[in-house]
Each structure stands twice: as structure tokens, then as C-alpha cells.
Amino acid sequence: MLTFTALIWAGDAVAGKWAVGQVLPLAPTSLRWLIACVALAPLAAQPAAREWRLLPSWRYILLMGSHAAFNALFYVAGTYTSATNLALIQGEIPVIVIVWSAASLPTTRLSG
């Protein structure tokens, strides 16, 4: 499954570079979210309706939209760099998240 995931991300970088000048950067992002919502709607509709009052406020959901902004900027970056650079930058994001998370967590001293 991890290999399949890596192939999908690599394909996304190549498709992003290929799409430069063919489609607007928001088109692939919107299409990706549309496909995900249509695929997950049958699975999530009933549980979401049952727990509606427990869902976070609309501001938090709007904040999660920053991921869509990243995707759009990713496709814009394809205008200025190669698909290899896009894939390398995208591949280092999990490492950056781990480092930033570790740096921002409060440290505790273990007594031994």
C-alpha cells in the first residue's frame, strides 16, 4: 500500500507538471475534492447526521480548506519547476511536519 501511495503522489507531480498551461490550477484541486466527497458521501452521511451537533464549528472546517490552497499552489509551482522538484518538495513534507511537531511540543524531563 505504501508503494501504491508513492506511485499516486509521483503521478500527481507528473500530472501537475503536464497540466501547466492546459487547465487552471484550481481545476485539478477541485476535481480531486469532488471525487473524494462523492466517494465518501455514502459512507459518511449517516454517521455525520447522527453526530452533527458534535462536529466542530464552520470556522475549523474552513481552516481545513488550507489543504486545498496547498494543492492549488502545488500546481502553480509546476509552472516554474520540474516534476522531479515538485515530487521532492512534496515528499519532504511529512518530515517537516514531524520536525515542527516535535519542536512545538512541550518537553518534559523524565526522572530516572
Side-chain angles (χ1 to χ4, degrees):
M1 290 305 285
L2 289 175
T3 302
F4 182 65
T5 304
L7 287 173
I8 289 175
W9 283 112
D12 186 46
V14 172
K17 184 63 179 173
W18 173 78
V20 170
Q22 304 295 322
V23 295
L24 295 174
L26 288 178
T29 303
S30 300
L31 185 61
R32 175 189 295 176
W33 281 101
L34 178 68
I35 291 170
C37 288
V38 167
L40 293 176
L43 300 172
Q46 189 176 19
R50 207 173 35 242
E51 304 294 334
W52 186 254
R53 63 178 169 35
L54 299 176
L55 289 177
S57 74
W58 64 271
R59 290 180 184 101
Y60 294 119
I61 294 172
L62 187 62
L63 183 62
M64 289 188 293
S66 64
H67 180 71
F70 165 79
N71 287 334
L73 291 173
F74 177 77
Y75 293 120
V76 170
T79 306
Y80 303 103
T81 190
S82 68
T84 304
N85 287 343
L86 288 174
L88 287 173
I89 291 169
Q90 196 170 27
E92 71 186 21
I93 289 174
V95 176
I96 293 170
V97 169
I98 291 170
V99 169
W100 282 357
S101 296
S104 66
L105 291 175
T107 57
T108 58
R109 175 173 271 176
L110 297 175
S111 59

